[in-house]
Amino acid sequence: AAPAPYATFLRSLRESGCACDVALFTRNASDAAVRRVFADFGANWLEFFPTDVPGATVDDLRAGAFATLPGRGRAASTFRFRLFHAYVTHFGGRYGRVGWVDVRDVYAQGDVFAAAPGEGLAVFTETAVFSLRHKRKVYLDWSRHSWGYDCDPAYETYDSLPPVNLGVVLGDPPSVLAALERLVCDLEACGGWDQFVFSKLVYTTEKARVYTTDDGPVADPRRRCVTRRPPPAQVANLCSNLEARVGDAGAVLNADGRPYALVHQWDRYDALAAHVAARYPYVDAWGP
């Protein structure tokens, strides 16, 4: 319900030159300052916790939407992916490319759609320093024990590749819809942590272009291997990175010294968080 995270995300997106349409799925965006941020940066918004459903409390709705919390077993949440699917189904025909992006911990340094491939699905990994084999306990074992995943993971066929992050996914509308449909289907059939299940489907079923955050190997899911072709500078998923390379102008850079178009999980680094706060300060100075 706070306006500042929306202001950081939307201001950076617009100042980066991205003229894309934005639809924000949010809860309790009733505060006037929040709505002013949406209006000033040309963003639509949709309330995804309808509190006027007879007999349903906000806690009930929250539990259903985020049912992948540890201890809920097979009750894997597909709620947000169904929302994305419904939105792209209804509006996607007017666009050449669409995607979903986290908001609270993402800011833009460039127009990500300007560099994204025109066809197919584009997904972005965490650092390639750590493979899924290194993170087996977090991805496979945790998914089985905490989220009740009980289908064949075929883990050994792709565990040399880096984990795919769900925070930023781009593509043409048919490819995005196909990925969402498969993700919902797998979660409902198998349970599991959504990020693990998505990594599995990318490497075993979906035709996707997979780009790494750093200068590590680029995953080729069709060949079940990695190549040494350097990735384009698009998305930085900083969760598992040992460091974030920041240039003199404050931009997060890839190994070639180019700014990433989107920086995800910037709040993992105190210095970077301070830079973002100074670069995109929120002041409730807009009129009603």
Side-chain angles (χ1 to χ4, degrees):
Y6 298 114
T8 297
F9 173 73
L10 291 170
R11 178 181 171 184
S12 69
L13 191 71
R14 295 311 186 202
E15 290 185 0
S16 75
C18 184
C20 58
D21 287 347
V22 179
L24 293 163
F25 295 90
T26 184
R27 178 178 69 87
N28 195 27
S30 57
D31 185 86
V34 172
R35 296 193 183 189
R36 284 199 295 272
V37 171
F38 294 168
D40 285 341
F41 293 106
N44 297 312
W45 59 276
L46 297 93
E47 194 76 44
F48 69 80
F49 278 144
T51 56
D52 58 348
V53 177
T57 67
V58 172
D59 287 339
D60 293 333
L61 293 162
R62 184 183 293 114
F66 299 101
T68 48
L69 291 172
R72 295 194 183 275
R74 286 288 301 278
S77 172
T78 60
F79 185 61
R80 65 172 171 146
F81 304 115
R82 289 182 180 276
L83 283 175
F84 297 163
H85 188 275
Y87 195 87
V88 176
T89 297
H90 191 73
F91 296 106
R94 67 181 70 175
Y95 301 110
R97 285 172 290 183
V98 296
W100 70 80
V101 180
D102 284 357
V103 173
R104 180 191 57 79
D105 58 354
V106 171
Y107 76 97
Q109 301 185 135
D111 181 358
V112 68
F113 282 110
E119 296 182 356
L121 194 70
V123 300
F124 307 91
T125 76
E126 297 173 3
T127 177
V129 173
F130 302 109
S131 69
L132 281 162
R133 183 182 300 125
H134 294 118
K135 301 188 75 171
R136 178 189 180 101
K137 184 172 182 60
V138 174
Y139 273 72
L140 179 57
D141 295 354
W142 193 17
S143 195
R144 280 173 166 164
H145 298 153
S146 296
W147 281 280
Y149 184 83
D150 67 353
C151 292
D152 179 11
Y155 205 64
E156 290 73 18
T157 65
Y158 56 88
D159 67 356
S160 63
L161 303 175
V164 174
N165 193 287
L166 263 172
V168 180
V169 176
L170 307 170
D172 61 85
S175 296
V176 169
L177 286 172
L180 286 167
E181 288 164 5
R182 185 58 190 264
L183 179 57
V184 169
C185 180
D186 280 14
L187 285 170
E188 298 225 335
C190 303
W193 179 31
D194 52 12
Q195 189 151 292
F196 159 69
V197 174
F198 190 66
S199 292
K200 175 197 170 186
L201 76 86
V202 163
Y203 289 135
T204 61
T205 60
E206 291 292 339
K207 293 181 178 179
R209 300 184 185 187
V210 185
Y211 302 103
T212 53
T213 287
D214 49 30
D215 59 341
V218 178
D220 185 342
R222 292 163 299 183
R223 296 168 55 192
R224 308 286 190 270
C225 66
V226 295
T227 69
R228 291 293 173 180
R229 176 173 48 84
Q234 290 183 301
V235 175
N237 291 308
L238 299 179
C239 177
S240 299
N241 277 37
L242 302 180
E243 63 179 358
R245 183 183 177 196
V246 181
D248 293 338
V252 180
L253 308 176
N254 75 345
D256 295 332
R258 295 179 294 166
Y260 290 101
L262 290 179
V263 180
H264 180 211
Q265 299 160 329
W266 53 264
D267 57 351
R268 305 299 202 271
Y269 300 88
D270 291 342
L272 188 54
H275 163 71
V276 172
R279 175 69 178 81
Y280 304 106
Y282 172 72
V283 179
D284 187 11
W286 295 285

